[in-house]
Amino acid sequence: MKGEKTKQRVLEAASDLFWSRSFHSVSVADVAAAASVNKATLYQYFDSKEALGRAVVIDARRRTIDFVFEGAWAQADEPLDRLKAIYERVYGSQQAAYDCSGEARGCPFVNIAMEMAIENKSVRDEVRQTQEAFGAYYARILRALAPGPLPRDAEERAVAALVRNMNGAMVAARIEQRPEALLEAAETAVFIAQSAVASAAAPTSPAP
Amino acid sequence: MKGEKTKQRVLEAASDLFWSRSFHSVSVADVAAAASVNKATLYQYFDSKEALGRAVVIDARRRTIDFVFEGAWAQADEPLDRLKAIYERVYGSQQAAYDCSGEARGCPFVNIAMEMAIENKSVRDEVRQTQEAFGAYYARILRALAPGPLPRDAEERAVAALVRNMNGAMVAARIEQRPEALLEAAETAVFIAQSAVASAAAPTSPAP
Amino acid sequence: MKGEKTKQRVLEAASDLFWSRSFHSVSVADVAAAASVNKATLYQYFDSKEALGRAVVIDARRRTIDFVFEGAWAQADEPLDRLKAIYERVYGSQQAAYDCSGEARGCPFVNIAMEMAIENKSVRDEVRQTQEAFGAYYARILRALAPGPLPRDAEERAVAALVRNMNGAMVAARIEQRPEALLEAAETAVFIAQSAVASAAAPTSPAP
Amino acid sequence: MKGEKTKQRVLEAASDLFWSRSFHSVSVADVAAAASVNKATLYQYFDSKEALGRAVVIDARRRTIDFVFEGAWAQADEPLDRLKAIYERVYGSQQAAYDCSGEARGCPFVNIAMEMAIENKSVRDEVRQTQEAFGAYYARILRALAPGPLPRDAEERAVAALVRNMNGAMVAARIEQRPEALLEAAETAVFIAQSAVASAAAPTSPAP
DNA sequence: GATGAATGAGGCTTCATTCAT
DNA sequence: CATGAATGAAGCCTCATTCAT
């Protein structure tokens, strides 16, 4: 019981630090200090730094799905409103981090994946699954938006485009230190979704 | 004279390693070994690992502009063909890396920027400038594509969307280990460009 | 509890090595080896080599005051006997080092201060304070020796002369590798003290 | 001919740096840079850093004898005036360094000897000989001051006391960053000299 | 459940020195 | 006479990790 709380503290500290800086430039000592925990204690909950990294990804995925996607669903009913809500919610957390620490941090998943994609397949796969989980929500939006059923590959292509669009926005936010990039990308997202549905209805024009 | 060659060897080795793995998981010793150079020699050409990172970004920018953008211009004349050529050329180098090392590496600029955006402003700024340089090429495409002059902010928004689109594709390539993500994103890029121009012609609907 | 002992071992090893050789020609690895401690362990107790240097000075000050000055006070009652006892005790430790290692090492404070005075103000200041602490003992001797109260500046000048005398003797011991320099300087010290008091009594002739 | 000038430049740069900082905290690269000379060139004139250190001592000795001691002889005729002139001249160069670089540097010989006494016998011996050379001048003063011939050992003791006195003053100047320590020590020097001669005249009381 | 103490390996950087030109 | 280029060794310090308590 008590241990669970400690573990959570470590997880939060690690999430925060890995997100802000990077996996490799944060030391286990940094995490332990931020969590007010002894390093040895940390190792009782996580087998290695790598395992901690993986756990962070998994935990962030859960929280992101809850807050961003489920939140968007709860907040709006129309598919495009939900899409916009997703971006607004992401924008909100970028802005919150920016206000609190002066940093637009971008995407925790993209960040760690760009860093570890080659050296650590397990983290990369965890991020890949995360993105697929997000994609499932985009697919639901597309289906709700379409008058009839979308062709399988048209949907897949549109989902992939939406995932890429979010990631591109997150990259921009971090490089330019501008949370607003999320809001700007929201328009592109709406556009991608609309066009995918439209071009499925009239399959003569190319899908995005 | 001889030193210039050594410096170049170091730069190439560092580019390759930082791109494939990451800045922090490659040691100066790794770079020196890959360049067949003594560590101390490396430090005669670069003041610090950070300076090497910056130099790598600057060098990669030059090469990317030459090979990808100027190459696309030389290769095709029509704006949309040039846009497609950009993505094809990027796809080509992703695929080349993939064939040679089994890795889809994504974008050297995005990779290093995601890793160092917060801890190292100078590298982040170098990447930001790089993306702006790329943006200038996208702007030229948009202008060539438009029947009349685009409103300033419409162009800016479309350029930003194109930059995000490329970055999103690069992220996908690295996370999914699939160079083809570039080809798929090319379609979205064409779409973004066309719509920007179209909506500028008929300013009633919003640009993406 | 256990750590305190380790820290002390490091401190003793560092004291010994810095005293014998010099701050810059002793490496952290040397100290760690001499203390049978891992380098990383050493850094758990001292933030940096410089901090270790400072700690060594502070520790040596404490030990010197205990052994030399308080020891002299305990050993003798008459002011001049105490002054002589100071030099004898210092001579004793020079001779002890000489017997044990074949080196007349001079003054740990002077040695490190000569080396680091310019580059490291904090060490220099620590040494300066050390010398002032020693000066306080000399002042007590002078006051006990004088029939009446000494003028403030006469006392100060005599104290400074006594400090310089000790330092000069320590320098001689190290340069000439002769602990006996301390015994010879003891006579000069007595002489300086006597004259200071005498000239204060008959203020016509200048104090040394 | 041209080479001699280069060598001299190196010697001066090294003298300056070793004096200000310390032998071990100045690198060969520092010296070469300060002398505007390539490192390899430096090694054409000096076999090793140690040899450079030795050469610096020897060169500084020559210059000190010229400027301080011979200068004092040329400047004054009376023995005590010469003694005072020695201290004034030394004070002058301390003050000059202080004005120019903000550092009271103390004695180049004491500084390097304290640092290298144990690890490098050859430098230590060079300094020892330097001090003996200085002692010869003090002996001349004592002899000129005495009405009759001084006993051999009385002279030796007084000379040693004078050498120690100068060194103690130099230590004070560097530790306290106060060139004036030299002027204060001059009084003690005069006092030591006078007493040595006096006690030799009336051999009942002990010499300092 | 938690921690203070310890460590081998490795991080980045600089050292004194050499050699071909 | 002078130098640009190169290097093995060593500098200080931090890393992720373990273990006894």
Side-chain angles (χ1 to χ4, degrees):
Chain A
M1 283 293 113
K2 172 134 167 277
E4 208 49 42
K5 250 200 183 127
T6 305
K7 181 170 183 178
Q8 200 55 36
R9 260 208 339 279
V10 171
L11 219 38
E12 277 163 28
S15 284
D16 189 59
L17 289 170
F18 291 163
W19 188 21
S20 162
R21 302 212 247 132
S22 81
F23 182 78
H24 285 301
S25 54
V26 168
S27 72
V28 172
D30 290 337
V31 173
S36 305
V37 158
N38 187 282
K39 265 185 295 177
T41 304
L42 186 154
Y43 274 93
Q44 282 188 235
Y45 295 101
F46 303 96
D47 286 345
S48 63
K49 194 190 180 190
E50 188 205 309
L52 176 57
R54 242 179 350 244
V56 160
V57 169
I58 292 168
D59 191 59
R61 168 165 67 210
R62 191 182 46 70
R63 285 185 292 121
T64 303
I65 287 177
D66 276 6
F67 176 72
V68 175
F69 292 93
E70 293 296 337
W73 253 249
Q75 173 184 337
D77 289 324
E78 292 304 306
L80 285 186
D81 290 340
R82 285 176 168 167
L83 187 56
K84 286 182 213 155
I86 290 169
Y87 277 83
E88 279 157 16
R89 284 171 168 265
V90 173
Y91 164 74
S93 46
Q94 295 293 315
Q95 188 64 49
Y98 194 73
D99 290 341
C100 141
S101 66
E103 306 159 356
R105 297 178 167 187
C107 173
F109 309 106
V110 167
N111 293 1
I112 203 170
M114 293 304 94
E115 192 176 357
M116 309 187 65
I118 306 298
E119 78 180 282
N120 190 315
K121 195 173 173 325
S122 77
V123 166
R124 184 182 78 212
D125 281 341
E126 219 60 71
V127 171
R128 181 164 21 197
Q129 285 172 35
T130 302
Q131 306 256 4
E132 280 168 16
F134 297 168
Y137 284 92
Y138 295 134
R140 286 167 64 186
I141 287 176
L142 289 170
R143 281 181 221 131
L145 198 61
L150 276 175
R152 190 87 170 84
D153 75 322
E155 180 188 298
E156 271 175 9
R157 259 179 300 150
V159 165
L162 285 170
V163 169
R164 287 198 305 269
N165 189 65
M166 176 61 87
N167 289 343
M170 288 300 223
V171 167
R174 189 163 166 99
I175 290 182
E176 303 170 13
Q177 289 295 299
R178 245 176 10 95
E180 300 78 26
L182 268 295
L183 299 180
E184 294 156 18
E187 297 177 32
T188 314
V190 167
F191 197 62
I192 289 171
Q194 283 178 324
S195 313
V197 169
S199 68
T204 47
S205 97
Chain B
M1 283 288 115
K2 173 134 168 279
E4 206 50 43
K5 234 172 202 151
T6 304
K7 181 172 183 174
Q8 200 56 37
R9 258 202 347 271
V10 170
L11 216 42
E12 277 161 29
S15 285
D16 189 60
L17 289 170
F18 291 163
W19 187 21
S20 162
R21 302 212 245 134
S22 80
F23 183 79
H24 285 300
S25 56
V26 169
S27 72
V28 171
D30 290 338
V31 174
S36 305
V37 161
N38 187 282
K39 265 184 292 174
T41 301
L42 186 155
Y43 275 94
Q44 280 199 282
Y45 296 101
F46 302 96
D47 285 346
S48 62
K49 193 190 181 190
E50 187 205 310
L52 177 57
R54 236 173 2 237
V56 160
V57 169
I58 291 168
D59 192 58
R61 167 165 67 211
R62 191 180 47 69
R63 285 184 292 120
T64 303
I65 287 177
D66 275 7
F67 175 72
V68 174
F69 292 92
E70 294 296 338
W73 252 248
Q75 171 184 340
D77 289 323
E78 292 303 306
L80 286 186
D81 291 339
R82 285 175 168 168
L83 187 55
K84 285 181 213 157
I86 290 169
Y87 278 81
E88 279 156 16
R89 282 169 170 266
V90 172
Y91 163 74
S93 45
Q94 295 292 315
Q95 189 63 49
Y98 193 73
D99 291 342
C100 143
S101 66
E103 306 159 355
R105 297 178 167 187
C107 173
F109 309 105
V110 167
N111 293 2
I112 203 170
M114 293 305 93
E115 192 176 355
M116 309 188 64
I118 306 298
E119 77 179 282
N120 190 316
K121 194 173 174 323
S122 77
V123 166
R124 184 182 78 211
D125 281 343
E126 219 61 71
V127 171
R128 181 160 26 195
Q129 285 174 36
T130 302
Q131 308 256 2
E132 280 168 15
F134 297 169
Y137 285 93
Y138 296 134
R140 285 167 66 186
I141 287 176
L142 290 170
R143 280 183 220 130
L145 199 61
L150 277 175
R152 191 86 170 84
D153 74 322
E155 181 188 299
E156 271 175 11
R157 259 180 301 151
V159 164
L162 286 170
V163 169
R164 288 198 305 268
N165 190 67
M166 175 61 88
N167 288 343
M170 287 300 223
V171 166
R174 189 164 165 100
I175 290 183
E176 304 169 13
Q177 287 295 299
R178 250 179 3 99
E180 300 78 27
L182 268 295
L183 298 181
E184 295 157 17
E187 296 178 31
T188 315
V190 167
F191 197 61
I192 289 171
Q194 282 178 325
S195 314
V197 170
S199 66
T204 46
S205 95
Chain C
M1 282 291 115
K2 173 135 167 278
E4 207 50 43
K5 230 167 205 158
T6 304
K7 182 171 182 176
Q8 201 56 37
R9 257 204 344 273
V10 171
L11 216 41
E12 277 161 30
S15 284
D16 189 60
L17 289 170
F18 291 163
W19 187 21
S20 162
R21 301 211 246 134
S22 80
F23 183 78
H24 285 301
S25 55
V26 168
S27 73
V28 172
D30 290 338
V31 174
S36 304
V37 159
N38 188 283
K39 263 182 295 174
T41 301
L42 185 156
Y43 276 96
Q44 280 199 281
Y45 296 101
F46 302 95
D47 285 345
S48 62
K49 194 191 180 190
E50 187 204 310
L52 177 56
R54 243 183 344 248
V56 160
V57 169
I58 292 169
D59 192 57
R61 168 165 65 213
R62 191 182 46 70
R63 285 184 291 120
T64 302
I65 287 178
D66 277 6
F67 175 72
V68 174
F69 292 92
E70 294 295 338
W73 252 247
Q75 171 184 339
D77 288 324
E78 291 303 308
L80 286 186
D81 290 340
R82 284 175 169 169
L83 187 56
K84 285 181 214 157
I86 291 170
Y87 278 81
E88 278 156 17
R89 282 170 170 265
V90 173
Y91 164 74
S93 45
Q94 294 293 316
Q95 189 63 48
Y98 193 73
D99 290 343
C100 141
S101 66
E103 307 159 355
R105 297 177 167 188
C107 174
F109 308 106
V110 167
N111 293 1
I112 204 169
M114 291 307 94
E115 193 176 357
M116 308 187 66
I118 305 297
E119 77 180 284
N120 191 315
K121 194 174 174 324
S122 77
V123 166
R124 186 183 76 211
D125 281 342
E126 220 61 72
V127 171
R128 183 166 17 201
Q129 286 174 35
T130 302
Q131 308 257 2
E132 280 168 16
F134 297 169
Y137 284 93
Y138 295 134
R140 285 168 65 187
I141 287 176
L142 290 170
R143 282 183 219 129
L145 199 62
L150 276 175
R152 191 88 171 81
D153 74 323
E155 181 187 300
E156 271 174 11
R157 260 180 301 152
V159 164
L162 286 169
V163 169
R164 288 197 305 268
N165 189 66
M166 175 61 87
N167 289 343
M170 288 299 221
V171 166
R174 190 163 166 97
I175 290 183
E176 303 169 13
Q177 289 294 300
R178 254 184 354 105
E180 300 77 27
L182 268 296
L183 298 181
E184 294 157 18
E187 296 177 32
T188 314
V190 168
F191 198 60
I192 290 171
Q194 283 178 323
S195 313
V197 169
S199 66
T204 46
S205 96
Chain D
M1 284 292 113
K2 173 135 166 274
E4 207 49 41
K5 252 203 181 122
T6 305
K7 182 170 182 176
Q8 199 55 35
R9 262 209 336 279
V10 171
L11 219 39
E12 276 163 28
S15 284
D16 190 60
L17 289 171
F18 292 162
W19 186 22
S20 164
R21 302 213 246 131
S22 81
F23 182 78
H24 285 301
S25 55
V26 168
S27 71
V28 171
D30 289 337
V31 174
S36 305
V37 158
N38 188 282
K39 267 185 292 176
T41 303
L42 186 154
Y43 275 92
Q44 281 187 238
Y45 294 101
F46 303 96
D47 286 345
S48 64
K49 195 190 181 190
E50 188 206 310
L52 176 57
R54 236 175 359 239
V56 160
V57 169
I58 292 168
D59 191 58
R61 169 166 64 211
R62 191 182 45 71
R63 285 184 291 121
T64 302
I65 287 178
D66 276 6
F67 175 72
V68 174
F69 291 93
E70 294 297 336
W73 252 249
Q75 172 183 337
D77 288 323
E78 292 303 307
L80 286 185
D81 291 340
R82 284 177 169 167
L83 187 55
K84 285 183 212 155
I86 290 170
Y87 277 82
E88 278 157 17
R89 283 171 168 263
V90 172
Y91 164 74
S93 47
Q94 294 293 314
Q95 189 63 48
Y98 193 74
D99 291 342
C100 143
S101 66
E103 307 159 355
R105 296 176 168 188
C107 174
F109 309 106
V110 167
N111 293 1
I112 204 169
M114 293 304 94
E115 193 176 355
M116 308 187 66
I118 306 297
E119 77 180 284
N120 191 314
K121 194 171 173 326
S122 77
V123 166
R124 186 183 75 212
D125 280 342
E126 219 60 70
V127 171
R128 178 158 29 191
Q129 285 173 35
T130 303
Q131 308 256 3
E132 280 168 14
F134 297 169
Y137 285 91
Y138 295 134
R140 285 168 64 188
I141 288 177
L142 289 170
R143 280 182 221 133
L145 198 62
L150 277 175
R152 190 88 171 82
D153 74 324
E155 180 187 300
E156 269 174 13
R157 260 180 300 151
V159 164
L162 287 169
V163 169
R164 287 197 307 269
N165 189 68
M166 175 61 86
N167 288 344
M170 287 300 221
V171 166
R174 191 163 165 98
I175 290 182
E176 304 170 12
Q177 288 295 299
R178 241 172 19 90
E180 299 78 28
L182 268 296
L183 299 181
E184 295 157 18
E187 298 178 30
T188 314
V190 168
F191 197 61
I192 289 170
Q194 283 179 324
S195 314
V197 170
S199 67
T204 47
S205 96

